[in-house]
C-alpha cells in the first residue's frame, strides 16, 4: 500500500479535505493504487458534513468556528461536524473496490477495531461504540470507558473506490468541548460537551510517565497498518495536488 506522510504545502484545511477527495478520485480512475495518508492538521478546524451545510443554523455554526479561531471546512466523507486542534492525527485511507457499494459496515467494524486496539496499547479502556451526546454520532466511533469519544470515523464511496477517514483527538479536549457546544447549538443538533475526550488525558489517568505525543500515536497507528499490509512510502505528487486544487472550492466555506 502507498503511504503518504506529513502535511501539504501551506496551511489550508480546505486543501487538506480536497486532497483526500483527489486521492479518492484518482484511485477510482485506477491512476494510483491503494493509499494511506497520515497527517497532522495544519490549523485548528471544524470539519462539517454535507448535511450540515443544508441546515438553517449552518451560518451560526460557522460564525462560532471563526470567533474561536477555527477554520470551517466541508469534508469529502459523510457524517456531522467534527472539530480538532493541531494536536490531532488524521488518517485518510483510499482503496479501489470493484465490489462497491457493499462493504461499508465491514469497514466500519474493521477499522474501528483497529483504532481501539491501537489505543489499548497505551493502556486506555478503548471500546467501539457511540457514547451519549457525542459529536458526529456513530456506532463505530472509538471511545474510552464508554464515556468519552476519542476517534471519529467516516466514509465516502464512489464507483469502484472508497475513502475511510479517521480523526484521532490526541489533545485539546478542553478547547473542543465549548466550541463544539456552540457549533452544535447553532446547527440545532443534540450534543453533550462532556462526551469529548482526548488520548493524552486518558493515558495520563491510567499511567505515570511523560505525556503521550503525536509521534507516539502516529507510530502506533503505522505499526497497526503495517501489520495488515506493507507500506511503501511515496511523496505527495503533483498530479494529486493539481486535482485537489480543482476541487478545493467544494470544501471551502465562504
Amino acid at each position: 500500500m502507498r503511504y503518504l506522510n506529513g502535511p501539504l504545502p501551506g496551511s489550508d484545511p480546505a486543501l487538506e479535505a480536497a486532497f483526500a477527495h483527489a486521492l479518492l478520485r484518482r484511485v477510482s480512475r485506477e491512476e494510483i493504487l491503494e493509499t494511506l495518508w497520515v497527517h497532522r492538521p495544519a490549523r485548528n478546524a471544524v470539519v462539517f458534513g454535507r448535511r450540515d451545510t443544508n441546515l438553517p443554523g449552518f451560518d451560526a455554526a460557522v460564525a462560532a468556528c471563526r470567533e474561536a479561531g477555527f477554520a470551517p471546512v466541508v469534508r469529502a466523507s459523510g457524517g456531522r461536524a467534527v472539530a480538532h486542534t493541531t494536536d490531532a492525527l488524521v488518517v485518510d485511507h483510499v482503496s479501489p473496490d470493484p465490489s462497491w457499494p457493499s462493504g461499508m459496515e465491514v469497514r466500519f467494524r474493521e477499522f474501528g477495531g483497529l483504532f481501539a486496539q491501537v489505543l489499548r496499547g497505551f493502556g486506555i479502556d478503548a471500546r467501539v461504540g457511540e457514547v451519549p451526546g457525542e459529536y458526529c454520532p456513530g456506532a463505530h466511533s472509538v471511545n474510552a470507558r464508554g464515556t468519552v469519544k476519542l476517534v471519529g470515523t467516516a466514509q465516502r464511496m464512489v464507483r469502484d473506490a472508497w475513502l475511510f477517514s479517521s480523526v484521532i483527538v490526541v489533545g485539546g479536549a478542553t478547547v473542543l468541548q465549548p466550541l463544539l457546544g456552540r457549533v452544535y447549538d447553532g446547527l440545532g443538533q443534540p450534543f453533550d460537551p462532556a462526551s469529548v475526550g482526548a488520548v493524552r488525558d486518558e493515558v495520563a489517568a491510567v499511567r505515570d510517565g511523560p505525556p503521550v505525543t503525536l509521534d507516539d500515536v502516529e507510530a502506533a497507528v503505522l505499526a497497526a497498518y503495517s501489520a495488515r499490509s506493507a507500506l511503501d512510502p511515496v511523496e505527495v505528487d503533483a498530479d494529486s495536488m493539481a486535482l485537489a486544487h480543482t476541487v478545493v472550492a467544494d470544501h471551502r466555506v465562504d
Side-chain angles (χ1 to χ4, degrees):
M1 176 164 51
R2 299 169 77 247
Y3 163 55
L4 294 171
N5 174 252
L8 303 178
S11 57
D12 184 353
L15 186 60
E16 292 174 342
F19 188 73
H21 185 176
L23 292 177
L24 176 62
R25 282 198 181 183
R26 294 199 69 209
V27 78
S28 72
R29 298 170 183 171
E30 300 183 346
E31 295 174 354
I32 60 173
L33 301 175
E34 181 179 11
T35 301
L36 180 70
W37 180 36
V38 180
H39 60 107
R40 302 171 189 190
R43 288 181 56 194
N44 297 349
V46 176
V47 188
F48 291 95
R50 289 287 173 196
R51 288 185 298 167
D52 295 326
T53 66
N54 295 319
L55 293 175
F58 179 64
D59 289 345
V62 167
C65 299
R66 290 183 168 139
E67 287 169 7
F70 279 64
V73 300
V74 180
R75 66 175 174 267
S77 55
R80 294 288 189 185
V82 173
H84 59 69
T85 67
T86 55
D87 199 4
L89 199 66
V90 180
V91 181
D92 287 320
H93 182 183
V94 296
S95 178
D97 185 1
S99 69
W100 89 287
S102 65
M104 177 176 280
E105 185 70 17
V106 172
R107 282 189 296 277
F108 270 127
R109 290 198 303 268
E110 180 179 0
F111 291 115
L114 181 147
F115 288 113
Q117 180 183 15
V118 166
L119 298 186
R120 290 184 197 118
F122 291 101
I124 296 173
D125 177 11
R127 313 173 189 179
V128 177
E130 182 178 342
V131 300
E134 72 176 26
Y135 61 90
C136 192
H140 301 94
S141 301
V142 180
N143 70 73
R145 302 170 284 110
T147 303
V148 293
K149 182 170 181 172
L150 302 180
V151 184
T153 59
Q155 294 191 62
R156 180 177 178 181
M157 290 188 293
V158 298
R159 181 175 293 277
D160 296 330
W162 49 260
L163 162 66
F164 196 97
S165 187
S166 308
V167 178
I168 306 171
V169 177
V170 179
T174 57
V175 175
L176 297 175
Q177 289 165 353
L179 168 65
L180 280 167
R182 293 191 294 273
V183 168
Y184 273 80
D185 185 58
L187 295 174
Q189 298 295 309
F191 171 69
D192 179 3
S195 67
V196 181
V199 171
R200 188 173 297 119
D201 297 337
E202 292 298 319
V203 174
V206 297
R207 77 181 195 193
D208 297 326
V212 168
T213 66
L214 282 168
D215 286 342
D216 296 330
V217 177
E218 182 173 349
V221 168
L222 292 179
Y225 269 93
S226 295
R228 293 167 40 88
S229 176
L231 300 181
D232 179 21
V234 296
E235 299 294 328
V236 172
D237 64 278
D239 288 341
S240 295
M241 280 299 297
L243 181 56
H245 280 287
T246 70
V247 299
V248 70
D250 293 338
H251 301 279
R252 202 179 299 284
V253 178
D254 296 325

